[in-house]
Amino acid sequence: MDPQQEDYLNFLIIGSPTIDPSFGYQLELFVKAYYDDGTNSSAVTATLDGIFPDEFPSNRLLQITAGPINSGASAITPSKKLVKYEVVLREQTGHVVISETRTYHVDQVQYPHRRIVMFLNSLGAWETLRFNGDTINTQKYSRDIARKYLKPGYAASDGEFSQGTVEVQNSRSMGSGYILPDGKEWQEYMRDMLRSPFVFDVTSGIRVPILVTATELPGTEDHNYKYMVRFDAIDAYADVVYTPDSVIPAP
């Protein structure tokens, strides 16, 4: 897990008699952090409200923050260096565990050309993945003149106006590296992710919309155990389009 990585866990909650209805089915995110000095500390970092009895037994998809920052793990003891942490979803009393416990190891090394990409999956939840890649920046500048249609008896203020447009396009080429041992399953998973209608580069900490322009799914090598994914993407850019005023015929 990258120290700055935004990440999420998806849980499908089904009505369960083990949850006490008197608590309104409130759930909480419990995080236990481990530090480089061998110590650990824990805290409830989030409470999920609004899970009421009348919503069961219908299935409910919950998306839980799981990155070092957005889960709250980094903030439990900010003066210490976080090396790993555990997250678990449980009932508000703290006695009934709803999910499995997930353990994340925080990378202590900064790698070059690492990019973090967020996809919206078919269930409507976000999934965040890391890739290797480089960025090539190409800046384009163009300036257009646009004229308004003029009405009879127009004033000087109704005249033409200029439109200045600056286009910046970032091109990226990213790869997963070889995936072992379940590379074929990874390729099928990525095939679906790269069809996502919403894809964002979140490396900088903000969500930059990108368009996937080309995808490669290299085959197997060395006794059919090496698989990888490569794809190219560019920043999504939408120019401003001006619709002219209605033309009024001269009298």
Side-chain angles (χ1 to χ4, degrees), residues 5-205:
Q5 184 168 338
E6 181 179 357
D7 202 42
Y8 299 88
L9 286 178
N10 302 317
F11 296 109
L12 185 61
I13 307 298
I14 302 175
S16 170
T18 61
I19 303 179
D20 186 353
S22 64
F23 286 91
Y25 295 102
Q26 289 182 322
L27 303 178
E28 63 186 18
L29 183 65
F30 180 76
V31 180
K32 187 174 183 180
Y34 296 83
Y35 306 103
D36 62 348
D37 61 359
T39 63
N40 64 80
S41 56
S42 57
V44 174
T45 60
T47 301
L48 288 77
D49 298 319
I51 306 172
F52 300 109
D54 58 359
E55 296 183 358
F56 289 106
S58 301
N59 297 343
R60 182 182 178 91
L61 177 65
L62 297 178
Q63 185 160 66
I64 312 302
T65 55
I69 295 177
N70 67 344
S71 69
S74 298
I76 295 178
T77 310
S79 60
K80 295 186 177 183
K81 189 173 183 178
L82 183 68
V83 294
K84 74 173 183 178
Y85 61 98
E86 300 172 349
V87 297
V88 63
L89 187 64
R90 67 186 190 184
E91 198 264 342
Q92 194 182 28
T93 61
H95 300 298
V96 180
V97 176
I98 307 300
S99 73
E100 65 181 352
T101 300
R102 291 286 184 91
T103 301
Y104 293 89
H105 294 265
V106 181
D107 285 344
Q108 306 301 314
V109 179
Q110 294 292 329
Y111 295 93
H113 308 315
R114 170 183 294 181
R115 307 208 69 83
I116 304 172
V117 183
M118 178 178 288
F119 304 86
L120 186 68
N121 67 23
S122 59
L123 295 177
W126 296 108
E127 299 196 32
T128 311
L129 301 171
R130 294 188 304 179
F131 294 91
N132 300 318
D134 200 358
T135 299
I136 301 174
N137 297 322
T138 302
Q139 295 187 353
K140 299 178 181 179
Y141 174 78
S142 64
R143 181 179 182 274
D144 300 321
I145 297 297
R147 288 184 171 85
K148 293 184 65 176
Y149 285 89
L150 305 179
K151 303 176 182 179
Y154 68 91
S157 60
D158 296 329
E160 67 181 28
F161 63 92
S162 62
Q163 170 198 353
T165 302
V166 176
E167 301 179 15
V168 179
Q169 176 177 290
N170 295 325
S171 301
R172 300 173 177 83
S173 181
M174 286 169 277
S176 64
Y178 287 118
I179 303 298
L180 303 174
D182 300 320
K184 184 64 176 177
E185 288 75 9
W186 165 260
Q187 276 196 346
E188 292 301 321
Y189 168 75
M190 282 305 305
R191 191 191 306 272
D192 292 336
M193 287 293 100
L194 291 170
R195 291 172 178 165
S196 172
F198 296 101
V199 183
F200 296 88
D201 185 335
V202 297
T203 308
S204 63

